[in-house]
Amino acid sequence: MNLEASAIAALANAAAVDLKAAQACADEHDINPEDFASPDFGRVWGVVRAMLGEGVIPDLFAVERNLPGIARPVLVEALLSTDARHPSEMLKTLADVAQRRRISKALDRVRGIANDTTVPLAAAVGEAQRALESVQQRVATSRSSEADVLALVDHLEAVARGDVEPALQTGVAQLDQLTGGLQKTLTVIGSLPGVGKSALLASILRNLGARGVKVGLFSLEDQRDWVAKRVTADVCQIPLFVLQTRPLSFGQRQRLQDGSPEVYALMRNIIIDDRPAVTCAEVVAGARQMIVRHNVKALVIDHLGEIRVKRSERHDLDISEVLQQLRALAKMYGVPVVVACHLKRGSDDVPKLTDFAFSAGVERMARVALALTRTAGDDQLRVHILKQTNGQSGVSFDLEFHKLAGMVRNGEATPQPEQE
């Protein structure tokens, strides 16, 4: 029996018994006429949906009046077929089949783009990404929310058992206490150059890698070995300056030899992409590859200003679009996405959200926004929580800035309210 005809008939029969129930059933499943393999059945479905929306029972004669010229056998099959299954079950099956057909078409399109040597590789990647995203957006259809409660209960029980971390612990005690760790959404960390943004990121990467957690790093500003140098300096107690500019002493070589296995094991968990001048589409595609191939549990992007945008007349909107896509990436895959960026020159001692470069995008898109400040020569890095959608904001805390390795030290959390 034709699934498309049976699904329409089941809904029409349900409307004859309980019109409101049929309306609710049709609204629950986001099915459009173009989702039908048969154009004729798609036309019938469009009329049936419209009639239900107007509170009219879609019987054979009423639909026929609204579809002049369509073959009567098509209407008979679509409206008078009998099937014992509930219309909701039929429509769900129909939606799944339509989605699979859509996926197949998208993959054919991606294959065609990939094989077209006249299209530049970067453009092909972006076009392929858009083709697949159009399918993924249709998967997230509207539905009733009672299932969310059950999912939440299951999640909380898994957390209680220790099977799941509600947020990814960074190993920086103050940060974990006040934010729960890296939340599975978009976090933006801003500072002026040279303040300590890389020190905080390196410390988080080191702590996660030491726990065996795989992290993806887009090192768009510096060479890929900047993390390895800082981790080596910290583990082997060799000044970062010496590692970069001086021959090692006998004692330093010995400490390097002793600490190298730990550094090696830790760095295996940090997956680095250091391509220069990448577009947002290339970052998103690379992130997906890290998630699928390497099973990374968090993504760090250093930094926002190095992502190449299309440079329209509204650069602020271009940046907002980049942040929106990165937040969507976090939502789609359930991984934290941390983006470093710059603050504006001349920012106050107590920074504000408006101090972020292109702050409008950060204010709208970030779910957690942190700003870092440090007085020149000071060994205290102050972290300001400027925004936290699901937690406390308007507080700050200090971390010890470890100059030898260019990292921060862990400590007990002592949050302080911001002073204007």
Side-chain angles (χ1 to χ4, degrees), residues 298-378:
L299 294 163
V300 175
I301 298 164
D302 185 26
H303 63 83
L304 179 63
E306 295 295 324
I307 297 177
R308 184 160 52 88
V309 295
K310 55 189 175 185
R311 296 291 181 184
S312 67
E313 294 181 357
R314 292 290 306 275
H315 189 52
D316 57 329
L317 296 182
D318 296 337
I319 295 296
S320 292
E321 183 179 348
V322 170
L323 291 171
Q324 184 179 39
Q325 292 191 46
L326 295 175
R327 191 180 70 184
L329 183 70
K331 180 180 178 180
M332 183 180 303
Y333 290 101
V335 300
V337 175
V338 179
V339 179
C341 69
H342 285 154
L343 296 181
K344 300 172 186 175
R345 292 284 183 182
S347 300
D348 298 333
D349 291 338
V350 179
K352 302 178 290 294
L353 277 171
T354 52
D355 291 329
F356 282 89
F358 306 106
S359 58
V362 175
E363 289 184 67
R364 288 197 303 270
M365 300 303 166
R367 289 297 174 259
V368 179
L370 309 176
L372 311 179
T373 57
R374 182 168 63 94
T375 305
D378 193 4

Side-chain angles (χ1 to χ4, degrees), residues 7 24 75 91 133 156 197 205 226 239 272 302 350-351 363 377 391 396:
L75 291 176
L91 293 177
E133 282 182 345
L156 293 175
K197 171 169 44 67
L205 291 167
W226 72 269
I272 300 178
D302 185 26
V350 179
E363 289 184 67
S396 63

Side-chain angles (χ1 to χ4, degrees), residues 239-250:
L240 182 61
F241 176 77
V242 172
L243 279 178
Q244 294 177 319
T245 63
R246 297 285 189 271
L248 300 185
S249 67
F250 175 81

Side-chain angles (χ1 to χ4, degrees), residues 178-179 353 367-370 384-396 416-418:
L178 293 173
T179 66
L353 277 171
R367 289 297 174 259
V368 179
L370 309 176
H384 307 262
I385 302 179
L386 303 183
K387 179 182 179 180
Q388 187 175 194
T389 303
N390 297 314
Q392 187 178 15
S393 60
V395 297
S396 63
Q416 305 172 13
E418 298 286 18

